[in-house]
Amino acid sequence: MESIQSALKQWTKDNKLEQRLHDARKTLLADPLVNNALEGEPVTDDILDQGLIKLYEFQKERQNCESCPGLAACPNMMKGYQPEIILTRRALDLEYHSCSLKKNEENARKQRQLIKSLYVPRDILDATFEKLDRDHEREEASRKALAFAVNAMPGSDGQGLYFYGRFGVGKTHLMGAIANELRDRNIESYIVYTPDFFREMKQSIGDGTFQEKIDMVKRAQVLILDDIGAETISGWIRDDVLGAILQHRMLEKLPTLFTSNYDYDELEEHLAYSERGGIEELKAKRIMERIKHFTTFVTVDGANRRSR
């Protein structure tokens, strides 16, 4: 590649222009940003002459970083990226890397992706243990929820929780707080509002997405099934959806958490009924044995939060 100086000499014999170019080169190389970037590199004058454009680009981009206006207003050619000078094949080039703000944004995005949800209100996903009501009735439930969140070991320990309580006592908020604590430990969780999820699974048979959706839920590191028992049950949902999910998670030691207005016995009775009107106690009992064996029953007491 011709140097900038050589090319310009062909265009003009203006000595003043040559002097200005010389002075600009000298000023550029005296810039601490450029000087420090070149320190230790075996750079000859020819390499410098041919790489001036790259050095000017480096200087401008790094000066932008020195007076950073924030990621949203980043003036660099690639927003959120800053250049480093590299020497390759006896030529100067630039290699771009994420700046600290960009890395923080990417980490935050990855963190948000650790909490997946289906049909769960946004305020539930924002719940934290610090924001939970500290009343006496929920103290034991909050303590057990926090203990699970800080000690969960998906793949090694499949033990979960079963939160039972009346409508509106804060069971789902506890699950949201668990999900956020797990996120901080880089553990993926999936919060599912069970009635709507089961309805979607019926529809997915027609659009060919059934296996993809059930696999996604089966394989989540921690699965939270919210409001189980509120759905209209069918033999297919009980055996081929819920049963298949729980069987896989039991074998892989992946914790499953539940919230319900039904206790264990009431949920078993609910699962025994099918939409065809029959009673299948044995099949319901098989499902409940998996739930009972791999969860700790927790009663959530207190006033109805939604009536405030």
Side-chain angles (χ1 to χ4, degrees):
M1 179 188 293
E2 279 190 306
S3 70
I4 295 174
Q5 283 86 347
S6 298
L8 287 172
K9 284 177 182 178
Q10 296 177 20
W11 299 335
T12 180
K13 298 299 184 181
D14 187 345
N15 290 332
K16 291 183 179 180
L17 177 58
E18 289 186 31
Q19 185 61 44
R20 288 200 299 271
L21 286 171
H22 174 77
D23 292 342
R25 179 183 186 277
K26 185 177 179 180
T27 301
L28 174 66
L29 296 177
D31 186 325
L33 286 171
V34 177
N35 192 269
N36 291 337
L38 292 174
E39 188 175 0
E41 295 287 353
V43 180
T44 64
D45 286 342
D46 286 342
I47 292 174
L48 287 175
D49 287 343
Q50 294 180 33
L52 284 179
I53 291 294
K54 294 292 184 180
L55 292 178
Y56 278 116
E57 180 183 332
F58 172 83
Q59 181 190 49
K60 180 182 177 182
E61 300 275 274
R62 291 305 290 259
Q63 285 176 344
N64 289 339
C65 294
E66 291 286 307
S67 56
C68 177
L71 187 59
C74 176
N76 282 358
M77 288 188 295
M78 293 193 298
K79 184 178 292 187
Y81 291 84
Q82 56 186 195
E84 288 185 12
I85 296 173
I86 61 172
L87 183 63
T88 175
R89 297 181 181 178
R90 295 187 56 77
L92 294 177
D93 203 353
L94 299 182
E95 191 171 77
Y96 279 80
H97 302 282
S98 303
C99 70
S100 59
L101 295 181
K102 183 67 174 179
K103 287 177 181 176
N104 289 340
E105 181 192 64
E106 290 170 349
N107 288 336
R109 177 178 54 80
K110 290 177 182 177
Q111 288 286 82
R112 288 192 298 270
Q113 289 177 342
L114 287 174
I115 303 180
K116 300 180 175 67
S117 65
L118 283 175
Y119 314 108
V120 177
R122 172 54 55 185
D123 63 320
I124 299 301
L125 301 181
D126 293 335
T128 64
F129 284 103
E130 289 77 12
K131 295 177 184 178
L132 293 177
D133 290 343
R134 299 183 179 276
D135 49 20
H136 177 70
E137 291 97 338
R138 298 184 185 89
E139 182 177 350
E140 181 184 4
S142 298
R143 180 171 51 80
K144 289 184 176 180
L146 180 59
F148 171 85
V150 300
N151 294 309
M153 297 177 62
S156 298
D157 183 356
Q159 194 69 18
L161 297 171
Y162 187 100
F163 278 26
Y164 159 75
R166 298 189 305 277
F167 177 83
V169 295
K171 302 183 297 295
T172 307
H173 271 84
L174 281 170
M175 294 300 186
I178 289 174
N180 277 295
E181 188 69 28
L182 292 172
R183 178 202 63 197
D184 292 342
R185 296 180 56 209
N186 290 316
I187 295 176
E188 175 201 58
S189 63
Y190 215 127
I191 308 180
V192 175
Y193 180 62
T194 309
D196 283 345
F197 172 65
F198 285 162
R199 276 194 291 272
E200 180 171 325
M201 293 308 293
K202 289 180 181 178
Q203 296 169 1
S204 69
I205 293 294
D207 61 25
T209 61
F210 173 81
Q211 196 60 49
E212 175 187 352
K213 290 175 180 176
I214 197 171
D215 284 346
M216 182 170 55
V217 173
K218 283 164 60 174
R219 296 169 182 170
Q221 286 183 287
V222 174
L223 174 63
I224 299 172
L225 293 177
D226 184 41
D227 213 6
I228 190 167
E231 71 286 342
T232 300
I233 201 65
S234 70
W236 179 75
I237 285 292
R238 180 195 60 219
D239 302 330
D240 296 327
V241 179
L242 180 59
I245 290 170
L246 296 181
Q247 178 68 12
H248 175 86
R249 300 186 63 78
M250 178 183 70
L251 294 174
E252 297 299 322
K253 296 185 178 180
L254 298 173
T256 307
L257 286 71
F258 303 82
T259 75
S260 184
N261 297 328
Y262 291 162
D263 63 21
Y264 282 155
D265 292 337
E266 291 168 334
L267 181 61
E268 182 174 332
E269 184 178 349
H270 170 74
L271 292 175
Y273 284 89
S274 71
E275 58 189 2
R276 297 178 180 177
I279 299 177
E280 298 176 311
E281 295 180 353
L282 182 58
K283 292 183 178 181
K285 191 175 291 294
R286 287 174 181 165
I287 297 290
M288 286 308 305
E289 284 304 310
R290 295 171 187 167
I291 294 176
K292 289 178 181 178
H293 187 71
F294 285 97
T295 60
T296 299
F297 188 87
V298 182
T299 300
V300 185
D301 291 320
N304 188 333
R305 297 160 54 95
R306 301 179 194 177
S307 63
R308 295 178 183 178

